[in-house]
Amino acid sequence: MNSAGHSTATAPRGLELTPFRGLRYDPDRVGSLAAVTSPPYDVVVRPDGLHHLQSADPYNIVRLILPEAGTPAERNAQAAETLRRWRAEGVLTPDPEPGLYVYEQRDGDGLVQRGVIGALRVSEPEERLVLPHEDVMPHVVADRADLMRATSANLEPLLLTYRGDGTTAGTAGLIERTAEQPPLLATTTEDGVHHRLWSVTDPSDLAVVRDELSAHQALIADGHHRWATYRRLRAEHPSPSPWDHGLVLLVDTTRYPLRVRAIHRFLHDLPVAKALKALDGSFRVRRLDVPPQRAMDALAEAAEDGNAFLLTGDDGAFHLVDRPDPALLDRTVPADRPEAWRTLDATVLHATLLDHVWRVPDDSAHIAYIHDTAATVDKARRDGGTAVLMHPVHEDVVRDLARQGVTMPRKSTSFGPKPASGLVLRALDL
């Protein structure tokens, strides 16, 4: 690798994480750092969550990542103008020199997650350096691309993971030493998670990260649409350009295992009684008149033995659906994929239940994807559709499929904790 960061004829390129001048909130200009942060754009429950965040502080990051206006073009123009104004007013200010950022999240349950935020070289799929595990929706990629073009910024980092060697040498040791120093910022968000951020600018420290990551590939844990957006925008701009890189958080899951949660489905126009009737013996169905946690425990137990789902609606009960008819699976699940893919709950849900049994189109008019279990149940109770509660997939299964180049049905997993949006941004003109 030469000094400009370009590959030579003999050196294969690996992950390249580049320092950048972070754009950060001036704590003297905002009510609190916690009040201006947000979950990633696709986790915010709209409209309630969006309005809650907007009212938390006039400078909350949602005004950039989820601008509100009459048309998409107006929304993006508004975000660009808001970002320009906040920078001009000193609400957002650039750090004095480029660096990588060590980022820590800590919750009340003992979880500690640490990683490194930087500008990652955007690679092509055939390089097998950044592995997706889910498909994306073109209209979402187009929407994020329009916003990034308008703002000329990476407003929130993706979450990528890699597997270190399990020692405290290299990047792991650098992270540990950095976390013993006073942070650039520290805040606790309303979900009780403590966030701390440090800047790493020493050339020798940056070299440690660069050298280690050059031997690794990464799995996209959260941010498939934004990674696809990075790739689209890089292709639009002749290289070299700032669009050659995109903002990411890289976490070594050998040292800091992520939590993997399921993403649930809410079917707007399918009452739960109709959903159950359509099963018609093709799955075993058991009614559970128990509290939500007991029902989720039953789902976890059933999932150990095969495909299982938990349905609920406005009837106040949970319905455990498992043991699908093998002949039905043979007819409906594509046979040209690995066994690990064909037996995924998300595969069976989409290929068998949604496509074949319920005939529900996979679009936003018919299906909502919701991360929080209680919110999914509440919506089903209130709106009368069907909530399909899922059991999470283990990270190793996700990674193994990704290494085979096999993508899972979209929104199959939720890795976390996700980085808070608003702690550090990347403006492409810095």
Side-chain angles (χ1 to χ4, degrees), residues 100-245:
L100 299 176
Y101 295 83
V102 170
Y103 175 45
E104 176 191 271
Q105 293 159 281
R106 186 186 296 267
D107 69 11
D109 297 327
L111 179 137
V112 177
Q113 178 174 290
R114 291 174 179 152
V116 180
I117 295 175
L120 185 70
R121 179 178 71 86
V122 179
S123 54
E124 289 300 318
E126 55 267 24
E127 294 183 70
R128 306 291 298 147
L129 290 175
V130 176
L131 306 177
H133 68 268
E134 293 181 356
D135 295 324
V136 297
M137 295 180 288
H139 74 276
V140 177
V141 176
D143 174 73
R144 289 293 103 183
D146 289 342
L147 178 63
M148 285 190 206
R149 282 192 210 95
T151 57
S152 193
N154 300 150
L155 299 171
E156 46 184 348
L158 285 63
L159 175 59
L160 306 185
T161 73
Y162 69 102
R163 304 287 284 178
D165 61 10
T167 72
T168 55
T171 302
L174 170 63
I175 289 173
E176 300 299 316
R177 293 192 303 274
T178 302
E180 295 173 356
Q181 305 301 314
L184 277 180
L185 66 84
T187 190
T188 302
T189 44
E190 66 179 6
D191 58 4
V193 177
H194 306 285
H195 306 263
R196 295 197 294 169
L197 191 76
W198 297 261
S199 179
V200 177
T201 59
D202 182 271
S204 61
D205 290 337
L206 298 174
V208 167
V209 178
R210 181 185 66 239
D211 293 346
E212 179 172 343
L213 291 180
S214 67
H216 286 283
Q217 62 183 182
L219 174 73
I220 302 176
D222 185 64
H224 284 81
H225 289 94
R226 283 167 287 163
W227 180 255
T229 300
Y230 289 169
R231 290 187 49 240
R232 173 178 293 193
L233 293 171
R234 194 201 66 168
E236 292 175 1
H237 296 82
S239 186
S241 85
W243 299 100
D244 290 345
H245 296 79

Side-chain angles (χ1 to χ4, degrees), residues 288 290-300 310 318-320 389:
L288 306 176
V290 297
Q293 187 54 57
R294 289 270 305 280
M296 293 302 290
D297 290 344
L299 173 63
L310 199 61
F318 293 95
H319 306 271
L320 185 60
L389 305 179

Side-chain angles (χ1 to χ4, degrees), residues 161-367:
T161 73
Y162 69 102
R163 304 287 284 178
D165 61 10
T167 72
T168 55
T171 302
L174 170 63
I175 289 173
E176 300 299 316
R177 293 192 303 274
T178 302
E180 295 173 356
Q181 305 301 314
L184 277 180
L185 66 84
T187 190
T188 302
T189 44
E190 66 179 6
D191 58 4
V193 177
H194 306 285
H195 306 263
R196 295 197 294 169
L197 191 76
W198 297 261
S199 179
V200 177
T201 59
D202 182 271
S204 61
D205 290 337
L206 298 174
V208 167
V209 178
R210 181 185 66 239
D211 293 346
E212 179 172 343
L213 291 180
S214 67
H216 286 283
Q217 62 183 182
L219 174 73
I220 302 176
D222 185 64
H224 284 81
H225 289 94
R226 283 167 287 163
W227 180 255
T229 300
Y230 289 169
R231 290 187 49 240
R232 173 178 293 193
L233 293 171
R234 194 201 66 168
E236 292 175 1
H237 296 82
S239 186
S241 85
W243 299 100
D244 290 345
H245 296 79
L247 188 63
V248 306
L249 165 65
L250 269 167
V251 174
D252 174 2
T253 52
T254 301
R255 190 152 185 81
Y256 298 104
L258 270 63
R259 288 176 174 165
V260 187
R261 292 190 170 99
I263 301 176
H264 310 300
R265 277 71 167 155
F266 176 74
L267 314 181
H268 294 284
D269 301 323
L270 183 65
V272 70
K274 185 175 181 180
L276 293 168
K277 184 177 181 181
L279 295 176
D280 192 28
S282 57
F283 284 74
R284 182 175 70 169
V285 180
R286 289 174 284 168
R287 180 184 173 106
L288 306 176
D289 290 298
V290 297
Q293 187 54 57
R294 289 270 305 280
M296 293 302 290
D297 290 344
L299 173 63
E301 184 178 344
E304 293 178 1
D305 204 26
N307 301 118
F309 312 93
L310 199 61
L311 308 189
T312 190
D314 58 4
D315 62 352
F318 293 95
H319 306 271
L320 185 60
V321 174
D322 64 354
R323 298 191 182 177
D325 175 8
L328 175 64
L329 298 183
D330 287 344
R331 291 198 309 274
T332 56
V333 176
D336 59 347
R337 301 285 187 92
E339 175 75 8
W341 181 89
R342 288 186 284 118
T343 56
L344 288 169
D345 288 339
T347 298
V348 172
L349 172 62
H350 284 261
T352 303
L353 286 171
L354 293 175
D355 291 352
H356 181 80
V357 176
W358 294 330
R359 301 191 183 280
V360 175
D362 188 4
D363 58 47
S364 59
H366 295 87
I367 303 177

